[in-house]
């Protein structure tokens, strides 16, 4: 990783990265009253130009999150878009970026305080998952995915991530790379930080939006690319045991990108190697995020 982030945007102003601050008793910290987006910008290998992938969709989801949180006077879509672009430009990166855009309550108060709202946007280098080529070992977690009527599963609220955190720590303690979380009624939901796909008999399957998933931008991208590549796609409820009999399993998310899962509960998925449809979709995803194809140009915002 060649570059380092020296600046961060806090409330619209570029400041030295290490100088960003928030009071420890701020409601965003004390009660987890914060929403965020994880976004990536990719460099085109031929032009050396960076573009942000599906920025508008991330900003739309953030808007929904801020509305749900009942934030006072939330920053506008234009301010957030500018914040993302500034966070990249100010650091002059010479490679891919991961961008965290976070909006939180920065004043002190109680559980129900809804302002004053503050925000930060940080563009940082981030390693790709080392196992995105060889495949990941997953387990079905004994923790269940947060239920939508307990925590707002559809909203990227920082507090939601406590559930993913404990499931991931447990999975790693038990020798796996990551957990797969089921819904309370035992259907497949998603992983701790990415959505899940199965391939059975050539059909690309992902759990429905009412499976307590985060409505993932990458999931939508993969559904579109799968259809364009000629694969039948199904959004439907999926059983736990389908994970063991599937021909292929993979996960997808902005941070994790598209990575094969090659074992579930130590049982190999098919022959235990990344499957052909997974690899084809991984290549299609790579082309579209980097702009080595002309397709879906509207998904790439030049920096
Ligand atoms: C819990 C969870 N599910 C799914 C995803 C994938 O969402 P997206 O593709 O919008 O990044 C994420 C974030 O990356 C996540 O944190």
């Amino acid at each position: 990783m060649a570059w380092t982030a020296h600046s961060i945007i806090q409330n619209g102003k570029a400041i030295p990265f290490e100088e960003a601050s928030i009071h420890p008793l701020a409601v965003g910290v004390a009660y987890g009253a914060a929403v965020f987006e994880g976004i990536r910008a990719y460099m085109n290998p031929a032009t050396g130009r960076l573009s942000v992938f599906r920025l508008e969709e991330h900003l739309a989801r953030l808007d929904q999150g801020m509305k749900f949180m009942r934030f006072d006077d939330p920053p506008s879509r234009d301010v957030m878009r500018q914040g993302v672009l500034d966070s990249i430009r100010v650091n002059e990166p010479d490679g891919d970026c991961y961008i965290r855009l976070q909006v939180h309550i920065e004043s002190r108060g109680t559980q129900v305080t809804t302002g004053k709202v503050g925000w930060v946007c940080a563009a940082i280098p981030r390693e790709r998952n080392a196992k995105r080529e060889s495949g990941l070992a997953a387990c079905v977690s004994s923790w269940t995915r947060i239920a939508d009527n307990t925590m707002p599963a559809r909203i990227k609220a920082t507090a939601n991530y406590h559930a993913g955190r404990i499931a991931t720590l447990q999975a790693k303690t038990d020798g796996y790379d990551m957990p797969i979380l089921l819904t309370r009624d035992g259907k497949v939901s998603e992983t701790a930080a990415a959505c899940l796909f199965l391939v059975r008999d050539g059909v690309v399957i992902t759990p429905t939006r009412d499976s307590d998933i985060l409505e993932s931008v990458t999931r939508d991208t993969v559904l579109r690319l799968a259809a364009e590549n000629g694969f039948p796609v199904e959004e439907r409820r999926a059983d736990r045991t389908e994970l063991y009999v599937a021909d292929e399993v993979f996960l997808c998310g902005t941070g994790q990108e598209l990575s094969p899962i090659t074992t579930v509960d130590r049982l190999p998925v098919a022959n235990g190697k990344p499957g052909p449809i997974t690899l084809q979709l991984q290549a299609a995803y790579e082309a579209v995020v980097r702009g080595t194809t002309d397709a879906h140009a509207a998904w790439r915002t030049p920096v």
Side-chain angles (χ1 to χ4, degrees), residues 165-200:
R165 180 172 191 272
I166 55 179
T168 305
L169 287 171
Q170 185 68 55
K172 287 188 183 289
T173 301
D174 294 343
Y176 302 95
D177 296 317
M178 62 173 48
I180 293 171
L181 295 151
L182 305 180
T183 62
R184 268 194 305 204
D185 61 349
K187 300 293 181 183
V188 176
S189 179
E190 60 175 14
T191 76
C195 279
L196 202 72
F197 279 80
L198 312 166
V199 179
R200 299 194 64 193

PDB file of all heavy atoms in Angstrom, residues 165-200:
ATOM      1  N   ARG A 165     -19.795  -7.895  15.348  1.00  0.00           N
ATOM      2  CA  ARG A 165     -18.478  -7.964  15.995  1.00  0.00           C
ATOM      3  C   ARG A 165     -18.372  -9.219  16.874  1.00  0.00           C
ATOM      4  O   ARG A 165     -17.403  -9.973  16.780  1.00  0.00           O
ATOM      5  CB  ARG A 165     -18.279  -6.698  16.846  1.00  0.00           C
ATOM      6  CG  ARG A 165     -16.968  -6.631  17.555  1.00  0.00           C
ATOM      7  CD  ARG A 165     -16.771  -5.259  18.217  1.00  0.00           C
ATOM      8  NE  ARG A 165     -15.397  -5.137  18.666  1.00  0.00           N
ATOM      9  CZ  ARG A 165     -14.973  -5.533  19.856  1.00  0.00           C
ATOM     10  NH1 ARG A 165     -15.816  -6.057  20.723  1.00  0.00           N
ATOM     11  NH2 ARG A 165     -13.697  -5.414  20.177  1.00  0.00           N
ATOM     12  N   ILE A 166     -19.375  -9.443  17.712  1.00  0.00           N
ATOM     13  CA  ILE A 166     -19.261 -10.600  18.620  1.00  0.00           C
ATOM     14  C   ILE A 166     -19.330 -11.907  17.827  1.00  0.00           C
ATOM     15  O   ILE A 166     -18.632 -12.860  18.145  1.00  0.00           O
ATOM     16  CB  ILE A 166     -20.314 -10.578  19.767  1.00  0.00           C
ATOM     17  CG1 ILE A 166     -21.742 -10.475  19.242  1.00  0.00           C
ATOM     18  CG2 ILE A 166     -20.006  -9.458  20.743  1.00  0.00           C
ATOM     19  CD1 ILE A 166     -22.804 -10.484  20.347  1.00  0.00           C
ATOM     20  N   ALA A 167     -20.116 -11.918  16.767  1.00  0.00           N
ATOM     21  CA  ALA A 167     -20.188 -13.144  15.948  1.00  0.00           C
ATOM     22  C   ALA A 167     -18.857 -13.394  15.248  1.00  0.00           C
ATOM     23  O   ALA A 167     -18.396 -14.548  15.150  1.00  0.00           O
ATOM     24  CB  ALA A 167     -21.315 -13.014  14.926  1.00  0.00           C
ATOM     25  N   THR A 168     -18.218 -12.341  14.779  1.00  0.00           N
ATOM     26  CA  THR A 168     -16.932 -12.506  14.077  1.00  0.00           C
ATOM     27  C   THR A 168     -15.835 -12.913  15.052  1.00  0.00           C
ATOM     28  O   THR A 168     -15.023 -13.804  14.757  1.00  0.00           O
ATOM     29  CB  THR A 168     -16.551 -11.203  13.341  1.00  0.00           C
ATOM     30  OG1 THR A 168     -17.634 -10.844  12.486  1.00  0.00           O
ATOM     31  CG2 THR A 168     -15.292 -11.383  12.503  1.00  0.00           C
ATOM     32  N   LEU A 169     -15.827 -12.276  16.219  1.00  0.00           N
ATOM     33  CA  LEU A 169     -14.807 -12.652  17.211  1.00  0.00           C
ATOM     34  C   LEU A 169     -14.966 -14.124  17.604  1.00  0.00           C
ATOM     35  O   LEU A 169     -13.981 -14.857  17.748  1.00  0.00           O
ATOM     36  CB  LEU A 169     -14.908 -11.747  18.443  1.00  0.00           C
ATOM     37  CG  LEU A 169     -14.405 -10.310  18.221  1.00  0.00           C
ATOM     38  CD1 LEU A 169     -14.740  -9.434  19.431  1.00  0.00           C
ATOM     39  CD2 LEU A 169     -12.902 -10.298  17.958  1.00  0.00           C
ATOM     40  N   GLN A 170     -16.220 -14.556  17.754  1.00  0.00           N
ATOM     41  CA  GLN A 170     -16.463 -15.973  18.107  1.00  0.00           C
ATOM     42  C   GLN A 170     -15.990 -16.889  16.973  1.00  0.00           C
ATOM     43  O   GLN A 170     -15.314 -17.897  17.207  1.00  0.00           O
ATOM     44  CB  GLN A 170     -17.954 -16.191  18.382  1.00  0.00           C
ATOM     45  CG  GLN A 170     -18.275 -17.593  18.881  1.00  0.00           C
ATOM     46  CD  GLN A 170     -17.712 -17.831  20.275  1.00  0.00           C
ATOM     47  OE1 GLN A 170     -18.000 -17.074  21.182  1.00  0.00           O
ATOM     48  NE2 GLN A 170     -16.893 -18.855  20.423  1.00  0.00           N
ATOM     49  N   ALA A 171     -16.342 -16.525  15.744  1.00  0.00           N
ATOM     50  CA  ALA A 171     -15.951 -17.353  14.589  1.00  0.00           C
ATOM     51  C   ALA A 171     -14.427 -17.464  14.506  1.00  0.00           C
ATOM     52  O   ALA A 171     -13.878 -18.555  14.307  1.00  0.00           O
ATOM     53  CB  ALA A 171     -16.515 -16.750  13.301  1.00  0.00           C
ATOM     54  N   LYS A 172     -13.742 -16.354  14.690  1.00  0.00           N
ATOM     55  CA  LYS A 172     -12.269 -16.378  14.589  1.00  0.00           C
ATOM     56  C   LYS A 172     -11.666 -17.173  15.742  1.00  0.00           C
ATOM     57  O   LYS A 172     -10.711 -17.941  15.549  1.00  0.00           O
ATOM     58  CB  LYS A 172     -11.720 -14.951  14.542  1.00  0.00           C
ATOM     59  CG  LYS A 172     -11.984 -14.276  13.187  1.00  0.00           C
ATOM     60  CD  LYS A 172     -11.285 -12.943  13.072  1.00  0.00           C
ATOM     61  CE  LYS A 172     -11.597 -12.241  11.762  1.00  0.00           C
ATOM     62  NZ  LYS A 172     -10.979 -12.858  10.591  1.00  0.00           N
ATOM     63  N   THR A 173     -12.234 -17.026  16.934  1.00  0.00           N
ATOM     64  CA  THR A 173     -11.761 -17.805  18.091  1.00  0.00           C
ATOM     65  C   THR A 173     -11.902 -19.301  17.810  1.00  0.00           C
ATOM     66  O   THR A 173     -11.064 -20.115  18.206  1.00  0.00           O
ATOM     67  CB  THR A 173     -12.587 -17.423  19.345  1.00  0.00           C
ATOM     68  OG1 THR A 173     -12.422 -16.036  19.573  1.00  0.00           O
ATOM     69  CG2 THR A 173     -12.132 -18.196  20.579  1.00  0.00           C
ATOM     70  N   ASP A 174     -12.954 -19.650  17.088  1.00  0.00           N
ATOM     71  CA  ASP A 174     -13.209 -21.058  16.779  1.00  0.00           C
ATOM     72  C   ASP A 174     -12.479 -21.529  15.512  1.00  0.00           C
ATOM     73  O   ASP A 174     -12.688 -22.657  15.061  1.00  0.00           O
ATOM     74  CB  ASP A 174     -14.722 -21.286  16.627  1.00  0.00           C
ATOM     75  CG  ASP A 174     -15.461 -21.074  17.944  1.00  0.00           C
ATOM     76  OD1 ASP A 174     -14.797 -21.082  19.006  1.00  0.00           O
ATOM     77  OD2 ASP A 174     -16.690 -20.888  17.914  1.00  0.00           O
ATOM     78  N   GLY A 175     -11.666 -20.659  14.909  1.00  0.00           N
ATOM     79  CA  GLY A 175     -10.812 -21.083  13.802  1.00  0.00           C
ATOM     80  C   GLY A 175     -11.388 -20.862  12.410  1.00  0.00           C
ATOM     81  O   GLY A 175     -10.868 -21.399  11.426  1.00  0.00           O
ATOM     82  N   TYR A 176     -12.437 -20.075  12.288  1.00  0.00           N
ATOM     83  CA  TYR A 176     -13.026 -19.759  10.974  1.00  0.00           C
ATOM     84  C   TYR A 176     -12.644 -18.333  10.573  1.00  0.00           C
ATOM     85  O   TYR A 176     -12.218 -17.536  11.412  1.00  0.00           O
ATOM     86  CB  TYR A 176     -14.557 -19.855  11.035  1.00  0.00           C
ATOM     87  CG  TYR A 176     -15.080 -21.201  11.464  1.00  0.00           C
ATOM     88  CD1 TYR A 176     -15.409 -21.454  12.804  1.00  0.00           C
ATOM     89  CD2 TYR A 176     -15.242 -22.234  10.542  1.00  0.00           C
ATOM     90  CE1 TYR A 176     -15.889 -22.694  13.204  1.00  0.00           C
ATOM     91  CE2 TYR A 176     -15.724 -23.486  10.935  1.00  0.00           C
ATOM     92  CZ  TYR A 176     -16.042 -23.706  12.273  1.00  0.00           C
ATOM     93  OH  TYR A 176     -16.504 -24.922  12.655  1.00  0.00           O
ATOM     94  N   ASP A 177     -12.868 -18.029   9.311  1.00  0.00           N
ATOM     95  CA  ASP A 177     -12.608 -16.657   8.860  1.00  0.00           C
ATOM     96  C   ASP A 177     -13.769 -15.731   9.189  1.00  0.00           C
ATOM     97  O   ASP A 177     -13.578 -14.551   9.440  1.00  0.00           O
ATOM     98  CB  ASP A 177     -12.365 -16.622   7.345  1.00  0.00           C
ATOM     99  CG  ASP A 177     -11.122 -17.389   6.950  1.00  0.00           C
ATOM    100  OD1 ASP A 177     -10.101 -17.235   7.649  1.00  0.00           O
ATOM    101  OD2 ASP A 177     -11.178 -18.160   5.971  1.00  0.00           O
ATOM    102  N   MET A 178     -14.981 -16.267   9.122  1.00  0.00           N
ATOM    103  CA  MET A 178     -16.134 -15.383   9.332  1.00  0.00           C
ATOM    104  C   MET A 178     -17.417 -16.160   9.596  1.00  0.00           C
ATOM    105  O   MET A 178     -17.528 -17.329   9.227  1.00  0.00           O
ATOM    106  CB  MET A 178     -16.328 -14.480   8.143  1.00  0.00           C
ATOM    107  CG  MET A 178     -16.631 -15.199   6.862  1.00  0.00           C
ATOM    108  SD  MET A 178     -17.011 -13.992   5.641  1.00  0.00           S
ATOM    109  CE  MET A 178     -15.651 -12.868   5.867  1.00  0.00           C
ATOM    110  N   PRO A 179     -18.355 -15.484  10.242  1.00  0.00           N
ATOM    111  CA  PRO A 179     -19.640 -16.126  10.525  1.00  0.00           C
ATOM    112  C   PRO A 179     -20.675 -15.877   9.429  1.00  0.00           C
ATOM    113  O   PRO A 179     -20.650 -14.839   8.774  1.00  0.00           O
ATOM    114  CB  PRO A 179     -20.085 -15.409  11.807  1.00  0.00           C
ATOM    115  CG  PRO A 179     -19.550 -14.010  11.635  1.00  0.00           C
ATOM    116  CD  PRO A 179     -18.264 -14.141  10.842  1.00  0.00           C
ATOM    117  N   ILE A 180     -21.564 -16.832   9.271  1.00  0.00           N
ATOM    118  CA  ILE A 180     -22.804 -16.608   8.503  1.00  0.00           C
ATOM    119  C   ILE A 180     -23.911 -16.537   9.543  1.00  0.00           C
ATOM    120  O   ILE A 180     -24.002 -17.404  10.428  1.00  0.00           O
ATOM    121  CB  ILE A 180     -23.059 -17.763   7.510  1.00  0.00           C
ATOM    122  CG1 ILE A 180     -21.981 -17.765   6.421  1.00  0.00           C
ATOM    123  CG2 ILE A 180     -24.456 -17.647   6.897  1.00  0.00           C
ATOM    124  CD1 ILE A 180     -22.014 -18.993   5.514  1.00  0.00           C
ATOM    125  N   LEU A 181     -24.719 -15.506   9.455  1.00  0.00           N
ATOM    126  CA  LEU A 181     -25.763 -15.312  10.459  1.00  0.00           C
ATOM    127  C   LEU A 181     -27.115 -15.713   9.892  1.00  0.00           C
ATOM    128  O   LEU A 181     -27.424 -15.418   8.725  1.00  0.00           O
ATOM    129  CB  LEU A 181     -25.777 -13.842  10.892  1.00  0.00           C
ATOM    130  CG  LEU A 181     -24.475 -13.445  11.599  1.00  0.00           C
ATOM    131  CD1 LEU A 181     -24.154 -11.983  11.411  1.00  0.00           C
ATOM    132  CD2 LEU A 181     -24.562 -13.768  13.069  1.00  0.00           C
ATOM    133  N   LEU A 182     -27.890 -16.387  10.721  1.00  0.00           N
ATOM    134  CA  LEU A 182     -29.246 -16.762  10.330  1.00  0.00           C
ATOM    135  C   LEU A 182     -30.229 -15.774  10.937  1.00  0.00           C
ATOM    136  O   LEU A 182     -29.915 -15.075  11.912  1.00  0.00           O
ATOM    137  CB  LEU A 182     -29.579 -18.172  10.843  1.00  0.00           C
ATOM    138  CG  LEU A 182     -28.617 -19.300  10.434  1.00  0.00           C
ATOM    139  CD1 LEU A 182     -29.084 -20.635  11.034  1.00  0.00           C
ATOM    140  CD2 LEU A 182     -28.501 -19.422   8.914  1.00  0.00           C
ATOM    141  N   THR A 183     -31.416 -15.738  10.367  1.00  0.00           N
ATOM    142  CA  THR A 183     -32.489 -14.942  10.972  1.00  0.00           C
ATOM    143  C   THR A 183     -33.003 -15.691  12.199  1.00  0.00           C
ATOM    144  O   THR A 183     -32.675 -16.869  12.409  1.00  0.00           O
ATOM    145  CB  THR A 183     -33.657 -14.758   9.985  1.00  0.00           C
ATOM    146  OG1 THR A 183     -34.189 -16.057   9.688  1.00  0.00           O
ATOM    147  CG2 THR A 183     -33.197 -14.093   8.694  1.00  0.00           C
ATOM    148  N   ARG A 184     -33.862 -15.023  12.960  1.00  0.00           N
ATOM    149  CA  ARG A 184     -34.388 -15.688  14.156  1.00  0.00           C
ATOM    150  C   ARG A 184     -35.190 -16.938  13.818  1.00  0.00           C
ATOM    151  O   ARG A 184     -35.311 -17.844  14.622  1.00  0.00           O
ATOM    152  CB  ARG A 184     -35.264 -14.726  14.960  1.00  0.00           C
ATOM    153  CG  ARG A 184     -34.458 -13.997  16.020  1.00  0.00           C
ATOM    154  CD  ARG A 184     -35.356 -13.331  16.998  1.00  0.00           C
ATOM    155  NE  ARG A 184     -36.297 -12.453  16.297  1.00  0.00           N
ATOM    156  CZ  ARG A 184     -36.895 -11.418  16.852  1.00  0.00           C
ATOM    157  NH1 ARG A 184     -36.657 -11.120  18.101  1.00  0.00           N
ATOM    158  NH2 ARG A 184     -37.738 -10.674  16.167  1.00  0.00           N
ATOM    159  N   ASP A 185     -35.765 -16.995  12.606  1.00  0.00           N
ATOM    160  CA  ASP A 185     -36.495 -18.208  12.227  1.00  0.00           C
ATOM    161  C   ASP A 185     -35.617 -19.169  11.428  1.00  0.00           C
ATOM    162  O   ASP A 185     -36.124 -20.083  10.760  1.00  0.00           O
ATOM    163  CB  ASP A 185     -37.811 -17.876  11.498  1.00  0.00           C
ATOM    164  CG  ASP A 185     -37.587 -17.107  10.204  1.00  0.00           C
ATOM    165  OD1 ASP A 185     -36.443 -16.655   9.971  1.00  0.00           O
ATOM    166  OD2 ASP A 185     -38.546 -16.963   9.421  1.00  0.00           O
ATOM    167  N   GLY A 186     -34.314 -18.994  11.497  1.00  0.00           N
ATOM    168  CA  GLY A 186     -33.391 -20.022  11.005  1.00  0.00           C
ATOM    169  C   GLY A 186     -33.084 -19.981   9.518  1.00  0.00           C
ATOM    170  O   GLY A 186     -32.504 -20.919   8.981  1.00  0.00           O
ATOM    171  N   LYS A 187     -33.477 -18.908   8.837  1.00  0.00           N
ATOM    172  CA  LYS A 187     -33.144 -18.776   7.406  1.00  0.00           C
ATOM    173  C   LYS A 187     -31.816 -18.037   7.263  1.00  0.00           C
ATOM    174  O   LYS A 187     -31.414 -17.274   8.154  1.00  0.00           O
ATOM    175  CB  LYS A 187     -34.247 -18.000   6.669  1.00  0.00           C
ATOM    176  CG  LYS A 187     -35.614 -18.657   6.743  1.00  0.00           C
ATOM    177  CD  LYS A 187     -35.657 -19.963   5.989  1.00  0.00           C
ATOM    178  CE  LYS A 187     -37.033 -20.596   6.056  1.00  0.00           C
ATOM    179  NZ  LYS A 187     -37.081 -21.898   5.399  1.00  0.00           N
ATOM    180  N   VAL A 188     -31.179 -18.227   6.112  1.00  0.00           N
ATOM    181  CA  VAL A 188     -29.895 -17.566   5.886  1.00  0.00           C
ATOM    182  C   VAL A 188     -30.123 -16.061   5.754  1.00  0.00           C
ATOM    183  O   VAL A 188     -31.024 -15.626   5.031  1.00  0.00           O
ATOM    184  CB  VAL A 188     -29.220 -18.106   4.595  1.00  0.00           C
ATOM    185  CG1 VAL A 188     -27.926 -17.351   4.318  1.00  0.00           C
ATOM    186  CG2 VAL A 188     -28.965 -19.612   4.710  1.00  0.00           C
ATOM    187  N   SER A 189     -29.304 -15.275   6.468  1.00  0.00           N
ATOM    188  CA  SER A 189     -29.401 -13.821   6.331  1.00  0.00           C
ATOM    189  C   SER A 189     -28.178 -13.301   5.581  1.00  0.00           C
ATOM    190  O   SER A 189     -28.214 -13.146   4.362  1.00  0.00           O
ATOM    191  CB  SER A 189     -29.540 -13.161   7.705  1.00  0.00           C
ATOM    192  OG  SER A 189     -29.623 -11.761   7.580  1.00  0.00           O
ATOM    193  N   GLU A 190     -27.076 -13.072   6.285  1.00  0.00           N
ATOM    194  CA  GLU A 190     -25.878 -12.528   5.639  1.00  0.00           C
ATOM    195  C   GLU A 190     -24.679 -12.787   6.538  1.00  0.00           C
ATOM    196  O   GLU A 190     -24.809 -13.445   7.570  1.00  0.00           O
ATOM    197  CB  GLU A 190     -26.066 -11.038   5.342  1.00  0.00           C
ATOM    198  CG  GLU A 190     -26.326 -10.194   6.575  1.00  0.00           C
ATOM    199  CD  GLU A 190     -26.399  -8.694   6.270  1.00  0.00           C
ATOM    200  OE1 GLU A 190     -26.506  -8.297   5.114  1.00  0.00           O
ATOM    201  OE2 GLU A 190     -26.320  -7.924   7.234  1.00  0.00           O
ATOM    202  N   THR A 191     -23.516 -12.272   6.176  1.00  0.00           N
ATOM    203  CA  THR A 191     -22.361 -12.397   7.060  1.00  0.00           C
ATOM    204  C   THR A 191     -22.330 -11.141   7.939  1.00  0.00           C
ATOM    205  O   THR A 191     -23.251 -10.331   7.900  1.00  0.00           O
ATOM    206  CB  THR A 191     -21.044 -12.532   6.263  1.00  0.00           C
ATOM    207  OG1 THR A 191     -20.667 -11.261   5.755  1.00  0.00           O
ATOM    208  CG2 THR A 191     -21.168 -13.524   5.112  1.00  0.00           C
ATOM    209  N   ALA A 192     -21.259 -10.966   8.702  1.00  0.00           N
ATOM    210  CA  ALA A 192     -21.218  -9.829   9.620  1.00  0.00           C
ATOM    211  C   ALA A 192     -20.989  -8.508   8.896  1.00  0.00           C
ATOM    212  O   ALA A 192     -21.261  -7.450   9.440  1.00  0.00           O
ATOM    213  CB  ALA A 192     -20.123 -10.054  10.662  1.00  0.00           C
ATOM    214  N   ALA A 193     -20.480  -8.561   7.682  1.00  0.00           N
ATOM    215  CA  ALA A 193     -20.170  -7.304   6.979  1.00  0.00           C
ATOM    216  C   ALA A 193     -20.348  -7.424   5.480  1.00  0.00           C
ATOM    217  O   ALA A 193     -19.775  -6.645   4.725  1.00  0.00           O
ATOM    218  CB  ALA A 193     -18.733  -6.874   7.294  1.00  0.00           C
ATOM    219  N   ALA A 194     -21.145  -8.391   5.056  1.00  0.00           N
ATOM    220  CA  ALA A 194     -21.335  -8.588   3.620  1.00  0.00           C
ATOM    221  C   ALA A 194     -22.582  -9.425   3.387  1.00  0.00           C
ATOM    222  O   ALA A 194     -23.028 -10.156   4.282  1.00  0.00           O
ATOM    223  CB  ALA A 194     -20.119  -9.289   3.015  1.00  0.00           C
ATOM    224  N   CYS A 195     -23.129  -9.332   2.185  1.00  0.00           N
ATOM    225  CA  CYS A 195     -24.287 -10.155   1.826  1.00  0.00           C
ATOM    226  C   CYS A 195     -23.813 -11.495   1.262  1.00  0.00           C
ATOM    227  O   CYS A 195     -22.640 -11.677   0.948  1.00  0.00           O
ATOM    228  CB  CYS A 195     -25.180  -9.407   0.852  1.00  0.00           C
ATOM    229  SG  CYS A 195     -26.241  -8.239   1.722  1.00  0.00           S
ATOM    230  N   LEU A 196     -24.747 -12.412   1.171  1.00  0.00           N
ATOM    231  CA  LEU A 196     -24.385 -13.779   0.834  1.00  0.00           C
ATOM    232  C   LEU A 196     -25.127 -14.249  -0.420  1.00  0.00           C
ATOM    233  O   LEU A 196     -26.292 -13.896  -0.616  1.00  0.00           O
ATOM    234  CB  LEU A 196     -24.777 -14.678   2.021  1.00  0.00           C
ATOM    235  CG  LEU A 196     -24.058 -15.997   2.114  1.00  0.00           C
ATOM    236  CD1 LEU A 196     -22.610 -15.784   2.548  1.00  0.00           C
ATOM    237  CD2 LEU A 196     -24.752 -16.898   3.115  1.00  0.00           C
ATOM    238  N   PHE A 197     -24.428 -15.021  -1.232  1.00  0.00           N
ATOM    239  CA  PHE A 197     -25.029 -15.646  -2.417  1.00  0.00           C
ATOM    240  C   PHE A 197     -24.728 -17.138  -2.412  1.00  0.00           C
ATOM    241  O   PHE A 197     -23.667 -17.565  -1.939  1.00  0.00           O
ATOM    242  CB  PHE A 197     -24.446 -15.051  -3.706  1.00  0.00           C
ATOM    243  CG  PHE A 197     -25.062 -13.748  -4.113  1.00  0.00           C
ATOM    244  CD1 PHE A 197     -24.677 -12.560  -3.511  1.00  0.00           C
ATOM    245  CD2 PHE A 197     -26.017 -13.691  -5.126  1.00  0.00           C
ATOM    246  CE1 PHE A 197     -25.234 -11.342  -3.893  1.00  0.00           C
ATOM    247  CE2 PHE A 197     -26.578 -12.486  -5.517  1.00  0.00           C
ATOM    248  CZ  PHE A 197     -26.187 -11.305  -4.909  1.00  0.00           C
ATOM    249  N   LEU A 198     -25.651 -17.910  -2.970  1.00  0.00           N
ATOM    250  CA  LEU A 198     -25.450 -19.336  -3.213  1.00  0.00           C
ATOM    251  C   LEU A 198     -25.634 -19.570  -4.701  1.00  0.00           C
ATOM    252  O   LEU A 198     -26.396 -18.848  -5.349  1.00  0.00           O
ATOM    253  CB  LEU A 198     -26.533 -20.189  -2.538  1.00  0.00           C
ATOM    254  CG  LEU A 198     -26.889 -19.946  -1.095  1.00  0.00           C
ATOM    255  CD1 LEU A 198     -28.193 -20.664  -0.770  1.00  0.00           C
ATOM    256  CD2 LEU A 198     -25.781 -20.494  -0.234  1.00  0.00           C
ATOM    257  N   VAL A 199     -24.978 -20.588  -5.220  1.00  0.00           N
ATOM    258  CA  VAL A 199     -25.265 -21.018  -6.590  1.00  0.00           C
ATOM    259  C   VAL A 199     -25.714 -22.472  -6.512  1.00  0.00           C
ATOM    260  O   VAL A 199     -25.041 -23.308  -5.900  1.00  0.00           O
ATOM    261  CB  VAL A 199     -24.012 -20.906  -7.490  1.00  0.00           C
ATOM    262  CG1 VAL A 199     -24.334 -21.388  -8.899  1.00  0.00           C
ATOM    263  CG2 VAL A 199     -23.498 -19.466  -7.521  1.00  0.00           C
ATOM    264  N   ARG A 200     -26.888 -22.738  -7.082  1.00  0.00           N
ATOM    265  CA  ARG A 200     -27.389 -24.113  -7.138  1.00  0.00           C
ATOM    266  C   ARG A 200     -27.906 -24.381  -8.545  1.00  0.00           C
ATOM    267  O   ARG A 200     -28.750 -23.648  -9.048  1.00  0.00           O
ATOM    268  CB  ARG A 200     -28.518 -24.331  -6.119  1.00  0.00           C
ATOM    269  CG  ARG A 200     -28.047 -24.109  -4.689  1.00  0.00           C
ATOM    270  CD  ARG A 200     -29.057 -24.643  -3.701  1.00  0.00           C
ATOM    271  NE  ARG A 200     -29.196 -26.084  -3.814  1.00  0.00           N
ATOM    272  CZ  ARG A 200     -30.174 -26.793  -3.248  1.00  0.00           C
ATOM    273  NH1 ARG A 200     -31.108 -26.178  -2.542  1.00  0.00           N
ATOM    274  NH2 ARG A 200     -30.226 -28.101  -3.407  1.00  0.00           N
TER     275      ARG A 200
END
